[in-house]
Amino acid sequence: MQYEDFKYVIQDVGNLYLGSGFSYEELLVHEMVPFKLKAIISQYILKEASSETTLESQFYYLEENTFLYEVFGQLKARIKVQIQVEKKGILGGRNKVGYKEKILSLQELAGMNLAKKKGAGILVREIIFSKFGIMTFNI
């Protein structure tokens, strides 16, 4: 059985939302992914990344000042993450660990080192591409 919870494509007027469970190979064959994004993936992204790489791992390990960082910057990517937070228990009881959703810019996520990401318990859940960024990307 395949893990499908974070494999979705949703569009609104200004953005394209991709679940982080997709690999680049799966995005290239998905019918809801716009053609121009597929062209960008095949012409630019797959020259630097493996087709089996998931969006979750790509963005989790993405570093500043790399070619892929520049490509995703041109696409005006934002990343929805879940960050581990500690919630106080009722009446001074035991603290519980929970998750809070937050949308980070590409610069914020790539600017964190790996130790900080692990320490914060960050989970990448969704990639948000600006349709304007996709439209203005020169192929």
Side-chain angles (χ1 to χ4, degrees):
M1 187 168 157
Q2 265 189 321
Y3 184 65
E4 299 287 331
D5 283 348
F6 292 102
K7 290 185 179 181
Y8 56 86
V9 178
I10 300 172
Q11 297 186 47
D12 65 14
V13 174
N15 296 307
L16 174 68
Y17 306 89
L18 300 175
S20 65
F22 278 116
S23 68
Y24 290 123
E25 186 175 31
E26 292 169 327
L27 286 174
L28 289 174
V29 297
H30 197 283
E31 63 189 34
M32 294 295 291
V33 175
F35 174 78
K36 187 155 184 188
L37 183 58
K38 289 179 183 181
I40 293 167
I41 290 169
S42 64
Q43 292 295 314
Y44 294 97
I45 295 173
L46 290 181
K47 293 196 187 311
E48 299 286 322
S50 168
S51 62
E52 293 90 30
T53 304
T54 63
L55 294 175
E56 179 178 20
S57 64
Q58 180 71 70
F59 281 89
Y60 191 83
Y61 296 105
L62 187 66
E63 295 177 356
E64 289 181 302
N65 302 321
T66 62
F67 179 73
L68 289 179
Y69 177 82
E70 296 299 325
V71 170
F72 293 126
Q74 287 288 316
L75 294 171
K76 301 185 184 336
R78 292 177 293 143
I79 302 92
K80 183 184 281 185
V81 298
Q82 289 182 325
I83 299 176
Q84 205 171 39
V85 292
E86 203 169 296
K87 297 180 180 180
K88 297 202 185 257
I90 300 174
L91 300 173
R94 226 169 99 192
N95 291 344
K96 294 182 180 180
V97 175
Y99 284 91
K100 177 182 172 185
E101 280 192 347
K102 189 172 182 181
I103 296 177
L104 299 176
S105 70
L106 186 65
Q107 295 82 8
E108 289 173 320
L109 186 64
M112 287 184 205
N113 63 24
L114 195 55
K116 188 173 180 180
K117 289 176 189 173
K118 287 183 179 182
I122 288 181
L123 301 171
V124 176
R125 291 297 180 218
E126 183 176 85
I127 311 304
I128 306 164
F129 291 115
S130 162
K131 284 187 174 179
F132 182 72
I134 295 171
M135 182 182 71
T136 59
F137 193 96
N138 289 326
I139 296 178

